[in-house]
Amino acid sequence: MSDTALDITGWTCPAPLRDRPRVVMGHGGGGALSAELVQHLFAPAFGGDVLAQLGDSAAVSLGGVRLAFSTDSYVVRPLFFPGGCIGDLAVNGTVNDLAMSGARAAYLSCGFILEEGVEMSVVARVAEAMGAAARAAGVEVATGDTKVVEAGHGDGIYLNTAGIGIIPDGVDLRPQRVVPGDVVIVSGEIGLHGVAIMSVREGLEFGVDIMSDCADLGGLVRAMLAVTPDLHVLRDPTRGGLAASLNEIAAASGTGVVIQEGRVPVPAAVANACAILGLDPLYVANEGKLVAFVPREHAEAVLDAMRTHPLGRHAAVIGEAVDAHPGLVVARTALGGTRVVDLPIGEQLPRIC
């Protein structure tokens, strides 16, 4: 072996190194890099007990009323995709974040960041889609803002939405309430949104049209809470997919999670697309699904209620919280083996929401 030192200054790494001094795409992917950015940069800078919850939305009390408060930004490319557009996504995404706290969304804000040169007809289509989605969800877009950036400094339209809603009495949804024995339920078939975006962005054809699952989950959550307010935690597995949500819950609760891989509902078209592209459906983004940790004594009744709702007809029990391997998610395979389902570093497909 030569004693000459290797010059690695020009090397690159397909999986971004975590100690990079600059932002990389993985920091926006909802995985380990995103978590590190929030936990080690933003959270210390902002402080506060409410932010420390790190949920899909913050639960706060104001004037004796419990509110859920959430904000999100949308940079999806392309703007229009099978099953929706950036406008539907912005409304439903924020409504769903509020629903994961058990809240019924009431008001939204909307910020448009427009690129110079984008056609007014495109802006109108997005705005109309937002209005229609808001009316369908029973929320009002109450305030907003518009900014324009120079041509070449954006992808036509970026959106930011914030929302507030009221949390009903007796509802306390947070990962710290998860205990061993809780049943893990997913509301339906996973991976549709990510594969739909990929198919149109990359011009791929899989022999069947794959539509995004973008939808308002508020009604499904209300149907579940009508069975019992004692649900422990809800998450909508968007960036990073089901795997990221399960890992976040396991880490925050200090429990282990075991899922049965064969019970996770994956539509054939998504499974085939992922097999061709070398992707794992557990890591593919969703925009109209939720995962719930439910006390075992209520699990069957909650599952029945979910299956009577249009957005929960394919709901399935996929696993449970356990004492073993706290903070770790493992999947039992059809062959009887097990594999660790890690938190992704970034995401398999960026710019999906």
Side-chain angles (χ1 to χ4, degrees):
M1 179 180 292
S2 171
D3 293 332
T4 304
L6 289 174
D7 179 7
I8 64 171
T9 56
W11 290 17
T12 60
C13 178
L17 300 177
R18 299 190 188 190
D19 59 354
R20 284 198 175 189
R22 299 179 185 275
V23 172
V24 296
M25 288 300 294
H27 283 117
L33 284 174
S34 292
E36 290 177 358
L37 184 65
V38 171
Q39 293 169 8
H40 300 303
L41 193 155
F42 294 134
F46 301 150
D49 294 335
V50 175
L51 181 62
Q53 298 172 17
L54 295 180
D56 285 340
S57 60
V60 299
S61 294
L62 190 64
V65 178
R66 293 179 66 222
L67 299 175
F69 179 36
S70 183
T71 187
D72 211 338
S73 298
Y74 299 86
V75 296
V76 63
R77 180 168 56 86
L79 298 176
F80 301 90
F81 47 82
C85 73
I86 191 173
D88 307 292
L89 202 60
V91 170
N92 290 333
T94 298
V95 167
N96 291 347
D97 283 347
L98 296 173
M100 297 306 104
S101 292
R104 183 164 190 159
Y107 296 101
L108 301 180
S109 71
C110 175
F112 273 79
I113 301 174
L114 306 176
E115 182 183 11
E116 180 185 23
V118 66
E119 296 179 1
M120 284 293 184
S121 60
V122 172
V123 180
R125 285 178 64 192
V126 170
E128 289 165 1
M130 290 191 74
R135 288 188 290 273
V139 298
E140 181 179 349
V141 179
T143 187
D145 184 49
T146 304
K147 295 292 189 295
V148 177
V149 298
E150 297 88 344
H153 289 261
D155 275 340
I157 300 174
Y158 297 150
L159 293 177
N160 173 272
T161 48
I164 57 174
I166 297 177
I167 302 174
D169 291 339
V171 174
D172 183 17
L173 297 172
R174 48 191 173 89
Q176 291 77 14
R177 296 195 63 219
V178 171
V179 296
D182 280 358
V183 173
V184 182
I185 302 175
V186 67
S187 65
E189 297 176 327
I190 66 168
L192 290 163
H193 179 72
V195 173
I197 293 292
M198 186 187 313
S199 65
V200 67
R201 183 188 299 175
E202 307 299 335
L204 302 175
E205 296 184 5
F206 301 111
V208 61
D209 291 335
I210 300 176
M211 309 289 285
S212 169
D213 60 344
C214 182
D216 158 30
L217 293 169
L220 177 60
V221 171
R222 290 191 289 276
M224 297 166 68
L225 291 173
V227 174
T228 174
D230 189 31
L231 307 178
H232 284 170
V233 68
L234 301 176
R235 285 290 171 90
D236 58 333
T238 54
R239 297 175 305 166
L242 181 61
S245 291
L246 292 176
N247 272 276
E248 290 167 0
I249 293 168
S253 65
T255 64
V257 176
V258 176
I259 63 171
Q260 303 292 332
E261 202 168 46
R263 295 183 183 177
V264 179
V266 180
V270 169
N272 293 337
C274 288
I276 292 169
L277 298 169
L279 303 179
D280 186 336
L282 292 177
Y283 293 90
V284 178
N286 312 272
E287 287 293 344
K289 300 297 183 296
L290 63 80
V291 59
F293 282 62
V294 181
R296 186 169 297 276
E297 62 268 26
H298 300 307
E300 184 174 352
V302 170
L303 182 63
D304 288 343
M306 294 174 73
R307 287 176 171 170
T308 63
H309 191 279
L311 296 180
R313 60 183 181 274
H314 298 298
V317 172
I318 63 169
E320 63 179 337
V322 297
D323 279 312
H325 49 78
L328 196 65
V329 180
V330 301
R332 291 182 177 155
T333 68
L335 298 177
T338 60
R339 67 181 179 101
V340 174
V341 181
D342 287 324
L343 184 68
I345 296 296
E347 64 184 332
Q348 297 179 111
L349 183 68
R351 305 282 299 279
I352 45 77
C353 67

